[in-house]
Amino acid sequence: MEEIKQRIEALRAEIDRWNHQYYVLAQPAVSDFEFDRKLKELETLEAGHPEFYDPHSPTRRVGSDLNKAFVQVEHRYPMLSLSNTYSEEEVTDFYNRVRKALNEDFEMVCELKYDGTSISLIYENGTLVRAITRGDGTRGDDVTANVRTIKSIPLKLRGTDYPALFEIRGEILLPWLAFDRLNEERAEAGEPLFANPRNAAAGTLKTLNPQIVAQRKLDSYLYYLLGEKLPADGHFENLEKARTWGFKISDAVRKCSSLEEVFRFINYWNTERKNLPVATDGIVLKVNSTRQQLNLGWTAKSPRWAIAYKFQAESAETVLKSVDFQVGRVGTITPVANLEPVLLSGTIVKRASLHNEDIINKFDVHIGDVCRVEKGGEIIPKITGVNKDARTGAGEKVRFIEYCPACGTRLVRPEGEAAHYCPNNAGCAPQIKGMIEHFTGRKAMNINAGEETIHLFYEAGLVNDIAGLYEIRLEDMLKLERWGEKSAGNFLESIEASKQIPYDRVLYAIGIRFVGETVAKRLAKAFPSIEELMDATYEQLIAVDEIGDAIARSVLDYFSAGSNRELIRKLKSYGLQWALDAGILAERTDRLQGKTFVISGVFTEHSRDEYKELIEKNGGKNTGSISAKTHFVLAGENMGPAKLQKAKSLGIKIINEYEFLTMIQNQGI
Ligand code: IVH
């Protein structure tokens, strides 16, 4: 027996070491064959000897990202779910069941059912010691480091009257505003969108970098205390106490002593919830007294003392008129249903997503079908089903296209993916235009050319790819309708300024699939020049924190295309930044000697303080307000209109951050 234990331990240590060498150091130490053989041996031994179970064994990581898994922790009290009801009758039944079982007076607590991802927080002596996801209800992931970044969750409690040890459960949420912003960023980066705030919150909580979690602005509502020595018997009273300790407890919590009150609560929130900053999908009813809760007990899956009443998903039926296939910036084909206009929770819906080929086939969609459209938590309405009984039989079956509707190239569907792509990135008009739009975007190269301009340039044959932007001459633009010296000048100026945009943003701008702003920053840090990135191997790529299989493959794919390498070569010859420039902040010059600056607004590349520092390092002077002595206003986003007006009236030159960076980098003023 001792021998087996020793063998298991030796295997675990050896495999751990190999994993570290492979995933962290990017220095594989053994062949895949040898690795698999040892892992198999360990699995077999462990299966035969459960007494040597160890949650940290390398076998526990198989199936997930090996170096990236969270530690699993057992819940002190299982995390059960609630049974769902959908009608007033079911709520009445529940109420009557409770009354009969208790056979004494009781109070109900009505709460909103928050639609996020559930969390269990453990506090010891007033300090947050652990945060665990629901997992399978018995064991969950330890996500403490991430949860600590959520501002509404107290790390230390206020007051002194909290139990020495207790657990509080609730929901982690991504508010609508933050959700919309996140998806906008992802859309711009060509990354897949989160379908709803719940997925976004759950995904964020499982992110491996707490800094990213911190940026995403998660919020929380807590709704359930557990422990041996809670302050009161009443759930409602405990929540009120928890509020004084610093927890975020919903204001929409009511004690009710009759069914009428319960229904009033339900009806009120059925419409009022639409004005809340976070997603809700129902109401939760709980018996208030803990003593009575214990009396009622639990079934295997859920408590008998509580239920959820789910709001109706917002949906409507309407006729499918036709299906379009749209080509996105990275070539993704999206099937879009054109519908007979229908009113759905306050807006008229004419188009809805048909997802992908698998869904089209699953629903067996025909033109003329009566389809169910839903908004639910999602931004884009979607088709959620087909009413086959209403089918007239006349319409044709919808089939996924085989060739790109824009350029005619045969579409591809990568193995394991649901989406189709047009592989002709360099020759497909919507992809080219989309790529250029992404490249010129404010967060990318910040070039003065929006959708319309790019369309115009493209149609006039002035651009055919990103590099083409740098080849446009003044006289070409002057030939365009309604283009004068001024607009052409603005464009050329922004082209010049774009040559100072740092490497990581250039990397984001060229539009590699799955390489959004954050990933680009990471890649730039790990591979400080484009040559290093172009030569990176799969192993080197996935060794970078947060870079997984999909991103690594996409990067390799991108640089394996000769046309992309050629594009980079061209862009390099035009003077774009292809390496990290760490020197810029450190350098001292007298390029701004005798010049006075006023800084106003919000900046993208450096903070205000960094700009102040840069001005001083280069011999310039900072002042707080604009006067006749000011030489330059360094203006960011959202500069106040009064300041702008004053600067203009005094004839002071207003420059943006890129013009400023050009100024201090090359030629001075
Ligand atoms: S109480 C044993 N209260 O709904 C009862 N749950 O289907 C524990 N939820 O897993 C849950 N809002 O993630 C409770 N006010 C609320 C809730 C709520 C949302 C979620 C929670 C739970 C699921 C149950």
Side-chain angles (χ1 to χ4, degrees):
M1 212 50 163
E2 192 52 38
E3 225 169 78
I4 288 170
K5 187 164 177 237
Q6 273 174 10
R7 180 68 187 150
I8 287 181
E9 275 166 3
L11 283 168
R12 283 175 183 163
E14 189 165 31
I15 294 170
D16 272 339
R17 200 174 59 244
W18 287 343
N19 274 336
H20 181 257
Q21 285 164 335
Y22 187 82
Y23 285 98
V24 183
L25 308 178
Q27 290 163 351
V30 286
S31 66
D32 290 354
F33 176 78
E34 178 69 3
F35 183 93
D36 289 342
R37 199 173 60 83
K38 290 273 170 72
L39 192 67
K40 254 261 124 58
E41 184 188 345
L42 179 58
E43 273 171 354
T44 314
L45 285 175
E46 283 182 345
H49 298 273
E51 66 273 26
F52 300 136
Y53 172 80
D54 178 353
H56 305 299
S57 168
T59 55
R60 299 285 104 201
R61 298 187 188 224
V62 177
S64 65
D65 293 341
L66 279 161
N67 64 328
K68 297 180 170 179
F70 288 93
V71 174
Q72 296 224 315
V73 184
E74 193 137 346
H75 288 296
R76 232 174 284 201
Y77 309 88
M79 265 178 107
L80 301 176
S81 61
L82 297 168
S83 52
N84 288 327
T85 61
Y86 298 89
S87 65
E88 297 204 347
E89 291 77 65
E90 285 174 290
V91 173
T92 310
D93 287 350
F94 165 74
Y95 196 86
N96 289 335
R97 239 181 1 254
V98 168
R99 190 171 51 200
K100 214 164 148 200
L102 288 176
N103 202 18
E104 62 179 349
D105 284 350
F106 65 96
E107 287 174 320
M108 268 300 166
V109 180
C110 291
E111 299 170 17
L112 283 171
K113 186 169 188 303
Y114 290 100
D115 196 10
T117 180
S118 43
I119 194 77
S120 186
L121 309 174
I122 298 164
Y123 285 80
E124 271 174 34
N125 301 318
T127 307
L128 172 69
V129 293
R130 194 163 261 180
I132 315 171
T133 64
R134 187 180 137 96
D136 63 4
T138 314
R139 311 165 62 78
D141 287 326
D142 183 334
V143 289
T144 316
N146 285 344
V147 165
R148 288 172 66 89
T149 69
I150 303 172
K151 301 270 187 343
S152 61
I153 292 183
L155 302 179
K156 285 218 169 295
L157 302 184
R158 294 150 181 262
T160 49
D161 56 349
Y162 41 75
L165 172 68
F166 72 98
E167 209 164 316
I168 187 162
R169 291 182 179 171
E171 210 77 356
I172 305 282
L173 300 146
L174 191 67
W176 286 112
L177 265 177
F179 168 71
D180 289 344
R181 204 169 306 140
L182 178 62
N183 261 353
E184 267 169 35
E185 284 170 17
R186 291 174 75 90
E188 217 174 288
E191 292 169 15
L193 301 190
F194 283 116
N196 50 48
R198 176 179 7 97
N199 291 358
T204 301
L205 210 56
K206 294 284 184 77
T207 302
L208 289 138
N209 182 346
Q211 276 173 339
I212 295 187
V213 183
Q215 286 163 13
R216 296 244 179 119
K217 309 242 177 309
L218 290 173
D219 204 345
S220 66
Y221 276 110
L222 285 315
Y223 45 64
Y224 185 33
L225 277 91
L226 284 152
E228 308 291 312
K229 295 197 174 93
L230 298 182
D233 174 61
H235 162 69
F236 182 87
E237 288 71 23
N238 283 334
L239 284 185
E240 286 305 307
K241 251 292 167 291
R243 195 196 296 281
T244 70
W245 301 333
F247 291 107
K248 187 157 175 176
I249 309 287
S250 171
D251 289 324
V253 183
R254 289 283 171 278
K255 262 204 291 196
C256 302
S257 359
S258 72
L259 252 184
E260 287 69 45
E261 284 176 74
V262 171
F263 286 133
R264 221 175 300 142
F265 186 90
I266 291 180
N267 288 331
Y268 176 79
W269 284 109
N270 197 12
T271 49
E272 206 47 42
R273 72 188 182 103
K274 287 167 197 152
N275 300 321
L276 294 173
V278 293
T280 52
D281 63 342
I283 298 288
V284 180
L285 296 181
K286 300 173 185 169
V287 169
N288 189 39
S289 154
T290 309
R291 178 184 59 79
Q292 289 177 333
Q293 288 180 2
L294 286 172
N295 252 337
L296 291 161
W298 284 260
T299 70
K301 277 196 274 177
S302 53
R304 287 202 182 86
W305 47 265
I307 53 154
Y309 165 82
K310 300 271 277 213
F311 296 126
Q312 293 273 316
E314 312 245 6
S315 74
E317 283 195 347
T318 186
V319 174
L320 175 69
K321 296 200 298 191
S322 62
V323 178
D324 287 341
F325 291 86
Q326 289 180 349
V327 189
R329 164 169 75 77
V330 286
T332 323
I333 310 291
T334 313
V336 179
N338 293 308
L339 305 165
E340 203 59 67
V342 62
L343 190 68
L344 186 56
S345 56
T347 52
I348 296 194
V349 174
K350 294 182 196 150
R351 289 160 72 76
S353 167
L354 257 171
H355 318 272
N356 55 45
E357 183 180 32
D358 293 347
I359 303 260
I360 291 177
N361 290 341
K362 188 177 121 194
F363 293 155
D364 183 30
V365 186
H366 285 59
I367 301 296
D369 270 352
V370 176
C371 295
R372 179 148 290 279
V373 208
E374 252 183 49
K375 260 202 188 153
E378 293 75 17
I379 17 174
I380 310 151
K382 55 182 188 188
I383 304 289
T384 56
V386 167
N387 182 351
K388 297 241 173 74
D389 298 337
R391 182 172 288 166
T392 55
E396 217 177 293
K397 182 174 159 61
V398 175
R399 284 181 207 285
F400 210 93
I401 48 172
E402 284 176 48
Y403 297 92
C404 175
C407 72
T409 305
R410 195 181 189 96
L411 302 179
V412 291
R413 179 177 170 179
E415 215 181 291
E417 285 192 40
H420 282 73
Y421 299 91
C422 165
N424 181 21
N425 313 64
C428 176
Q431 291 193 64
I432 296 171
K433 285 193 271 184
M435 274 287 190
I436 301 177
E437 267 167 46
H438 170 76
F439 184 80
T440 59
R442 201 171 51 78
K443 288 183 182 162
M445 304 303 276
N446 199 26
I447 293 170
N448 249 331
E451 195 179 334
E452 261 177 58
T453 305
I454 290 164
H455 181 73
L456 193 69
F457 285 177
Y458 181 80
E459 293 302 320
L462 297 186
V463 284
N464 224 339
D465 62 8
I466 294 169
L469 288 167
Y470 292 84
E471 292 155 13
I472 299 180
R473 293 168 310 168
L474 182 67
E475 52 268 36
D476 297 331
M477 286 184 279
L478 294 181
K479 284 187 204 133
L480 298 171
E481 219 174 293
R482 277 184 283 135
W483 270 67
E485 296 272 352
K486 191 161 170 16
S487 40
N490 279 344
F491 171 76
L492 290 176
E493 227 175 80
S494 66
I495 281 281
E496 266 324 295
S498 78
K499 295 177 185 170
Q500 297 309 323
I501 299 261
Y503 168 49
D504 61 307
R505 271 180 58 185
V506 179
L507 206 50
Y508 162 68
I510 56 175
I512 305 172
R513 191 147 75 100
F514 301 139
V515 178
E517 283 176 282
T518 324
V519 171
K521 281 205 172 77
R522 265 170 210 287
L523 287 174
K525 221 171 173 181
F527 307 95
S529 72
I530 190 73
E531 286 75 21
E532 285 163 276
L533 182 62
M534 289 208 283
D535 291 343
T537 61
Y538 177 80
E539 284 71 26
Q540 286 169 333
L541 285 164
I542 57 163
V544 180
D545 200 15
E546 292 285 318
I547 307 292
D549 179 68
I551 300 175
R553 279 178 201 283
S554 166
V555 170
L556 287 177
D557 220 43
Y558 183 89
F559 291 118
S560 71
S563 55
N564 288 333
R565 287 184 169 251
E566 174 58 17
L567 177 75
I568 307 268
R569 196 195 56 73
K570 267 197 197 166
L571 289 175
K572 218 169 171 188
S573 74
Y574 297 139
L576 270 61
Q577 305 290 321
W578 288 109
L580 270 193
D581 184 359
I584 168 167
L585 275 172
E587 213 178 307
R588 245 170 221 289
T589 76
D590 55 4
R591 284 180 184 147
L592 307 179
Q593 199 60 49
K595 301 295 177 201
T596 304
F597 286 77
V598 171
I599 301 184
S600 180
V602 183
F603 301 93
T604 321
E605 288 311 323
H606 299 284
S607 68
R608 241 166 198 276
D609 286 344
E610 282 171 348
Y611 278 119
K612 281 194 178 158
E613 210 181 308
L614 279 173
I615 289 171
E616 279 164 17
K617 273 194 177 149
N618 288 282
K621 213 175 127 193
N622 289 295
T623 52
S625 61
I626 297 170
S627 74
K629 289 187 192 143
T630 310
H631 293 102
F632 294 98
V633 173
L634 172 51
E637 292 276 310
N638 300 330
M639 174 177 169
K643 265 196 181 164
L644 197 64
Q645 187 59 44
K646 187 157 183 200
K648 278 190 178 156
S649 67
L650 289 170
I652 296 165
K653 189 152 193 223
I654 301 169
I655 55 171
N656 68 28
E657 55 185 318
Y658 301 104
E659 291 168 311
F660 173 78
L661 290 170
T662 316
M663 220 181 212
I664 58 167
Q665 248 184 342
N666 325 334
Q667 61 269 49
I669 304 160

